[in-house]
């Protein structure tokens, strides 16, 4: 075709862009529309009947993915003239090929990852249409003026039949082939391997497998480990080891999976820059400039960058608060230890001074130091001038000196303040499934409430008020402000109260998502439980059920982790909380599953207590199983096992000839540990 010549009467040829083995590409202008296009001219000599299928493959591939931002679009196909069989009129890309960019200058890791992300997006669309490109290489990746990567040249692409997902031909550039591609038996994953080779070249400036012949390169791909330069970032090192693995099943399985890993790497790099900026310079302008430069290089959206910045800041504040609390705990613990030592020495004055120092650690920042100092000084002076009776006979002599009416008043007060233990046990006995008898790990106490709080907004408001009286974590402080605003509107009978409670629910839901990202299931469960209460107060029953189900899921995760560590009682407690929330979320099957798991874990706890000869806790855990069983819709094997265990305990307690639990063989009737919905028999010696 002639430069400045007119093709088909409507395309003005401006210049030759590329002259390849199979086609020539020209820059042209469509006369009627002034649109700039690229025309791929296909010579008749190159495309006889045997090669015409490659032309059809390219046309089909590009047509199926027309308009995709990372695939060069085809506008139309025109009949050829003279020596050309056809003209493919395509989108003109106002840049250069990746090959030209790599030849001219090295690429930064951030830019290389962004180009790979663009191609992953294109391959995701291509593979969804049952197309394998089969020739991913730098020459077939075009870069626009804004550095967007576009995939082109589907001339050797294979469009898979609906009933066949294996390509049975060997085509493509041998240097960039996957190992299995040489043998002609492969699938979509060869494109991912080829992209991995291109990414390696972009990052290191060299090809990972060197050889004098294609066969040598093939053997290197099949056998040799990839050697990395020291400047390759650790995250990319791990990624490239996976994407270039000799075994296809050990690599990424889809373009979407590959994209997700690369996107995670990109986000981690920005998070690292944010941490450096926070640690380095208090100069806000300088910090913003550095972050802006990194955002531009990594091509991050403003929303994503802001979310990463907030996550980093949140984790740093949480870590700082954790360190601060740990330091305070250590320092105060030392004061308390010394105070206990002085108490054993009966040195009350020094003990009070140590307690004063411990107390001062927590009051200095709250502006209460002066008041605290005055109170402790008064107590110390009083203690130094007062002899405190230490024996019963001394107390009795002091009482004898009192007037009769004061003695009578003292007896009345003592009677009312000292409730018998049996009364306490009856009010907090085995009917309560969740008690404080287990040694729960430190952390937030679970947010629990009665059934009425699910449907009664005023009950939910009351509970939320009590929950926010004291705040421990950063996310609770903002929530407490919202809660106070909602309470104020409620007292004024203002309709804005509902919107404030809705805002509170959304705040806790966002915090829960952050904690889930950090795998902190305990705080996530607490946040979802509070979000449920806030939705109840906002009269949003549907959202309340959703939050209840999410809380149930988090408590179940906690239970799963505790069960793996064989913390049976704690795991059971979390299962009960999970079941309770699933019940409120109207997820009956999940609630039943967690009730069942709770009975299983309580039985395991009872068995452990039996092993240790702790009869009291065996009885407690068995009673918990019976209490949990009230929620079952079908008989539980755990209940039967608990009854057998209680029977053995009763027989041992009434028959003095029985051997003690610590040294006896477990009888077959009680040696079953319940797992799931089945019983497995284990020998007593193995358990020990």
């Amino acid at each position: 075709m002639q430069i400045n010549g007119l093709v088909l009467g409507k395309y003005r040829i401006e210049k030759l862009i590329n002259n390849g083995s199979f086609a020539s590409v020209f820059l042209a202008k469509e006369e009627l529309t002034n649109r700039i296009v690229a025309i791929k001219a296909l010579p008749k000599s190159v495309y006889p009947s045997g090669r015409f299928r490659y032309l059809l493959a390219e046309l089909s591939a590009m047509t199926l993915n027309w308009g995709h931002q990372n695939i060069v679009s085809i506008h139309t196909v025109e009949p050829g003239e003279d020596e050309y069989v056809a003209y493919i009129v395509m989108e003109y890309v106002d840049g250069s090929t990746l090959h030209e960019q790599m030849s001219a200058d090295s690429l930064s890791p951030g830019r290389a990852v962004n180009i790979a992300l663009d191609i992953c997006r294109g391959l995701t669309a291509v593979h969804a249409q049952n197309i394998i490109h089969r020739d991913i290489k730098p020459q077939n990746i075009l870069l626009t003026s804004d550095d967007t990567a576009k995939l082109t040249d589907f001339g050797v692409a294979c469009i898979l039949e609906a009933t066949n997902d294996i390509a049975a031909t060997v085509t493509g550039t041998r240097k960039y082939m996957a190992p299995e591609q040489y043998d002609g038996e492969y699938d979509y994953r060869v494109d991912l391997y080829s992209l991995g080779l291109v990414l390696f070249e972009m990052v290191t400036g060299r090809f990972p497998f060197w050889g004098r012949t294609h066969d040598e390169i093939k053997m290197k791909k099949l056998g040799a480990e990839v050697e990395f330069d020291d400047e390759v970032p650790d995250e990319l090192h791990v990624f490239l080891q996976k994407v270039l693995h000799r075994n296809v099943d050990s690599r990424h399985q889809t373009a979407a999976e590959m994209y997700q890993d690369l996107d995670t790497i990109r986000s981690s790099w920005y998070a690292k820059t944010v941490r450096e900026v926070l640690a380095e310079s208090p100069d806000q302008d300088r910090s913003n400039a550095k972050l802006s430069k990194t955002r531009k290089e990594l091509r991050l959206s403003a929303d994503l960058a802001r979310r990463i910045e907030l996550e980093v800041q949140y984790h740093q504040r949480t870590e700082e608060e954790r360190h601060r609390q740990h330091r305070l705990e250590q320092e105060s613990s030392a004061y308390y230890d010394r105070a206990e030592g002085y108490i054993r020495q009966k040195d009350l004055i020094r003990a009070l001074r140590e307690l004063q120092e411990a107390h001062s650690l927590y009051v200095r920042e709250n502006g209460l130091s002066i008041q605290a100092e005055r109170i402790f000084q008064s107590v110390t002076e009083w203690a130094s001038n007062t002899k405190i009776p230490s024996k019963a006979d001394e107390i009795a002599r002091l009482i004898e000196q009192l007037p009769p009416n004061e003695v009578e008043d003292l007896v009345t007060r003592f009677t009312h303040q000292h409730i018998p233990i049996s009364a306490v046990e009856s009010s907090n006995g085995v009917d309560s499934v969740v008690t404080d008898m287990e040694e729960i790990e430190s952390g937030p106490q679970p947010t629990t409430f009665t059934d009425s709080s699910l449907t009664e907004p005023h009950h939910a408001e009351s509970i939320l008020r009590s929950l926010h009286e004291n705040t421990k974590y950063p996310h609770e402080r903002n929530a407490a402000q919202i809660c106070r605003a909602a309470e104020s509107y409620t007292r004024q009978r203002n309709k804005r109260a509902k919107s404030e409670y809705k805002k509170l629910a959304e705040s806790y839901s966002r915090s829960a998502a952050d904690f889930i990202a950090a795998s902190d299931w305990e705080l996530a469960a607490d946040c979802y439980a509070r979000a449920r209460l806030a939705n109840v107060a906002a009269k949003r029953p549907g959202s309340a059920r959703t939050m209840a189900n999410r809380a149930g899921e988090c408590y179940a995760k906690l239970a799963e982790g505790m069960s793996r560590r064989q913390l049976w009682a704690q795991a059971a407690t979390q299962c009960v909380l999970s079941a309770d929330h699933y019940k409120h979320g109207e997820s009956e099957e999940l609630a039943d599953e967690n009730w069942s798991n709770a009975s299983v874990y309580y039985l395991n706890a009872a068995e452990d207590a039996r092993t240790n000869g702790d009869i009291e806790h065996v009885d407690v855990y068995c009673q918990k199983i019976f209490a949990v069983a009230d929620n079952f819709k079908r008989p539980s094997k755990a209940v039967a096992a608990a009854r057998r265990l209680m029977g053995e305990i009763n027989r041992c307690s009434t028959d003095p000839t029985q051997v003690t639990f610590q040294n006896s063989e477990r009888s077959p009737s009680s040696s079953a540990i319940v797992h799931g919905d089945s019983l497995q028999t284990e020998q007593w010696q193995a358990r020990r």
Side-chain angles (χ1 to χ4, degrees):
M1 288 193 294
Q2 302 245 348
I3 303 301
N4 205 34
L6 198 62
V7 175
L8 299 178
K10 55 181 175 180
Y11 298 106
R12 180 73 62 184
I13 304 302
E14 295 191 352
K15 69 175 181 178
L16 175 67
I17 298 176
N18 183 32
N19 191 18
S21 302
F22 296 100
S24 298
V25 182
F26 295 88
L27 175 67
K29 182 170 71 174
E30 193 172 20
E31 292 284 283
L32 294 177
T33 63
N34 280 333
R35 178 172 60 175
I36 301 298
V37 297
I39 298 180
K40 189 172 187 178
L42 310 175
K44 292 179 180 178
S45 59
V46 178
Y47 285 91
S49 59
R51 284 191 178 273
F52 207 76
R53 60 193 180 96
Y54 293 118
L55 169 60
L56 296 177
E58 177 165 23
L59 296 179
S60 298
M62 297 178 73
T63 301
L64 287 171
N65 294 283
W66 190 91
H68 192 282
Q69 62 176 335
N70 301 117
I71 299 174
V72 176
S73 297
I74 180 171
H75 296 317
T76 186
V77 179
E78 303 280 7
E81 295 177 325
D82 301 328
E83 73 270 23
Y84 297 107
V85 65
Y87 302 125
I88 302 177
V89 182
M90 303 181 300
E91 167 192 5
Y92 172 66
V93 178
D94 59 340
S96 60
T97 67
L98 176 60
H99 176 72
E100 293 169 340
Q101 288 283 315
M102 292 167 59
S103 301
D105 196 6
S106 60
L107 276 67
S108 68
R111 188 183 179 199
V113 165
N114 278 321
I115 291 172
L117 283 167
D118 284 345
I119 302 305
C120 279
R121 275 191 290 265
L123 288 177
T124 299
V126 167
H127 293 169
Q129 298 292 344
N130 282 344
I131 299 169
I132 307 176
H133 188 283
R134 302 196 302 179
D135 199 19
I136 304 294
K137 59 184 179 181
Q139 291 86 341
N140 289 339
I141 297 173
L142 302 182
L143 301 176
T144 67
S145 57
D146 65 355
D147 221 32
T148 299
K150 290 178 177 282
L151 196 55
T152 188
D153 201 351
F154 288 78
V156 296
C158 175
I159 302 179
L160 304 180
E161 297 295 334
T163 58
N164 180 21
D165 61 353
I166 299 297
T169 59
V170 178
T171 53
T173 304
R174 294 173 65 86
K175 178 181 176 181
Y176 291 95
M177 283 183 178
E180 65 273 15
Q181 198 169 353
Y182 292 92
D183 301 324
E185 293 187 0
Y186 55 88
D187 57 21
Y188 307 100
R189 292 172 289 184
V190 297
D191 287 344
L192 308 184
Y193 184 91
S194 299
L195 178 55
L197 292 173
V198 173
L199 178 58
F200 187 98
E201 271 193 299
M202 286 193 287
V203 174
T204 65
R206 64 181 178 85
F207 194 73
F209 304 108
W210 183 87
R212 288 171 294 183
T213 66
H214 288 302
D215 288 336
E216 286 186 13
I217 293 175
K218 174 185 176 182
M219 296 308 297
K220 289 284 184 68
K221 292 176 181 176
L222 289 170
E225 294 291 337
V226 181
E227 295 183 3
F228 291 89
D229 299 330
D230 293 338
E231 63 269 18
V232 176
D234 292 340
E235 301 90 346
L236 270 185
H237 187 153
V238 174
F239 174 86
L240 289 169
Q241 278 186 320
K242 179 177 180 179
V243 79
L244 298 179
H245 200 282
R246 64 175 69 88
N247 184 355
V248 65
D249 292 327
S250 299
R251 303 179 207 146
H252 297 88
Q253 300 302 297
T254 65
E257 179 189 351
M258 192 172 178
Y259 180 94
Q260 185 59 50
D261 279 1
L262 284 170
D263 190 46
T264 300
I265 290 173
R266 181 174 63 169
S267 297
S268 71
W269 287 348
Y270 187 67
K272 181 180 179 181
T273 302
V274 174
R275 287 192 291 270
E276 291 173 353
V277 165
L278 292 175
E280 284 176 1
S281 173
D283 186 341
Q284 191 66 32
D285 291 338
R286 183 177 176 184
S287 299
N288 290 338
K290 184 173 182 179
L291 290 177
S292 178
K293 179 182 177 182
T294 306
R295 278 197 303 270
K296 184 176 180 180
E297 180 183 357
L298 297 177
R299 220 163 62 195
L300 289 174
S301 67
D303 289 342
L304 177 58
R306 182 56 181 162
R307 193 176 75 215
I308 294 172
E309 291 166 12
L310 290 174
E311 287 176 356
V312 170
Q313 291 170 5
Y314 170 78
H315 286 299
Q316 283 200 348
R317 286 197 301 269
T318 302
E319 192 63 23
E320 290 170 359
E321 179 65 19
R322 185 179 291 114
H323 283 307
R324 191 183 75 84
Q325 288 292 337
H326 181 65
R327 177 181 57 80
L328 288 176
E329 288 171 5
Q330 284 187 320
E331 293 181 9
S332 60
S333 178
Y335 286 124
Y336 288 135
D337 288 342
R338 287 194 291 270
E340 287 182 350
Y342 287 131
I343 289 173
R344 286 192 294 270
Q345 299 171 19
K346 298 183 179 180
D347 191 338
L348 181 59
I349 303 303
R350 290 188 177 180
L352 282 171
R353 287 172 180 166
E354 294 297 332
L355 291 175
Q356 179 181 4
E357 291 297 327
H359 182 72
S360 297
L361 288 174
Y362 294 95
V363 300
R364 286 174 190 143
E365 297 180 3
N366 297 322
L368 301 175
S369 298
I370 297 176
Q371 182 181 6
E373 291 287 341
R374 186 175 66 252
I375 292 173
F376 270 103
Q377 183 65 32
S378 300
V379 172
T380 303
E381 292 175 357
W382 171 81
S384 62
N385 297 322
T386 305
K387 183 178 183 302
I388 301 175
S390 59
K391 296 181 180 180
D393 56 350
E394 294 179 1
I395 295 174
R397 282 196 296 272
L398 289 174
I399 294 175
E400 289 174 355
Q401 300 174 12
L402 295 174
N405 62 325
E406 292 188 14
V407 173
E408 183 178 352
D409 181 57
L410 181 62
V411 171
T412 302
R413 291 171 61 188
F414 181 84
T415 303
H416 282 82
Q417 290 181 7
H418 291 75
I419 303 172
I421 294 177
S422 58
V424 176
E425 291 178 345
S426 65
S427 63
N428 293 307
V430 296
D431 290 337
S432 175
V433 176
V434 183
T435 69
D436 59 354
M437 295 190 66
E438 296 86 356
E439 296 177 359
I440 305 298
E441 295 180 351
S442 61
Q445 293 301 311
T447 300
T448 57
F449 30 84
T450 62
D451 287 346
S452 61
S453 65
L454 181 66
T455 56
E456 297 296 335
H458 64 280
H459 288 148
E461 292 168 4
S462 176
I463 294 169
L464 286 169
R465 188 182 310 115
S466 63
L467 287 174
H468 292 93
E469 288 178 354
N470 295 302
T471 58
K472 180 178 180 182
Y473 297 95
H475 71 276
E476 292 179 325
R477 294 167 189 158
N478 178 54
Q481 293 178 354
I482 300 173
C483 188
R484 284 193 291 270
E487 291 172 16
S488 175
Y489 288 128
T490 299
R491 287 192 296 270
Q492 300 170 22
R493 297 187 178 182
N494 191 316
K495 293 181 179 180
R496 289 186 60 183
K498 287 177 60 177
S499 64
E500 290 298 317
Y501 279 119
K502 177 184 176 183
K503 186 190 300 183
L504 179 62
E506 292 170 347
S507 174
Y508 272 122
S509 180
R510 287 193 298 270
S511 297
D514 291 337
F515 288 126
I516 287 176
S519 297
D520 192 335
W521 300 104
E522 191 171 17
L523 283 173
D526 186 69
C527 285
Y528 278 136
R530 295 184 182 206
R532 172 199 156 194
L533 279 174
N535 278 312
V536 171
K539 298 181 181 179
R540 303 171 73 219
S543 298
R545 288 192 293 272
T546 299
M547 294 298 103
N549 283 321
R550 291 181 183 176
E553 182 180 356
C554 292
Y555 283 124
K557 284 281 189 182
L558 274 173
E560 181 183 349
M562 291 176 178
S563 69
R564 284 197 297 267
R565 291 151 54 198
Q566 297 188 1
L567 302 173
W568 303 119
Q570 293 92 318
T573 298
Q574 301 304 322
C575 278
V576 169
L577 289 169
S578 177
D580 181 61
H581 283 82
Y582 274 134
K583 176 183 175 184
H584 292 318
E586 297 182 5
S587 298
E588 297 295 337
E589 290 186 5
L590 292 172
D592 291 344
E593 178 184 341
N594 279 276
W595 286 126
S596 178
N597 288 343
S599 66
V600 168
Y601 296 149
Y602 276 133
L603 181 59
N604 287 346
E607 289 285 0
D608 285 347
R610 179 186 187 275
T611 300
N612 297 324
D614 188 351
I615 307 303
E616 180 182 357
H617 278 83
V618 172
D619 177 72
V620 168
Y621 293 135
C622 286
Q623 295 299 333
K624 287 177 180 288
I625 293 171
F626 301 147
V628 168
D630 291 339
N631 298 281
F632 293 164
K633 294 182 179 178
R634 53 189 174 85
S636 170
K637 294 181 180 180
V639 174
R643 285 176 180 150
R644 287 196 298 271
L645 188 57
M646 291 296 293
E648 289 188 11
I649 292 174
N650 292 334
R651 286 195 297 275
C652 289
S653 63
T654 56
D655 187 354
T657 63
Q658 292 286 334
V659 182
T660 60
F661 284 119
Q662 292 92 329
N663 301 315
S664 65
E665 292 287 337
R666 182 185 299 185
S667 65
S669 64
S670 66
S671 63
I673 302 296
V674 181
H675 294 281
D677 199 23
S678 63
L679 295 174
Q680 297 178 346
T681 302
E682 298 179 358
Q683 293 299 324
W684 174 248
Q685 294 95 332
R687 186 65 189 273
R688 289 195 298 175

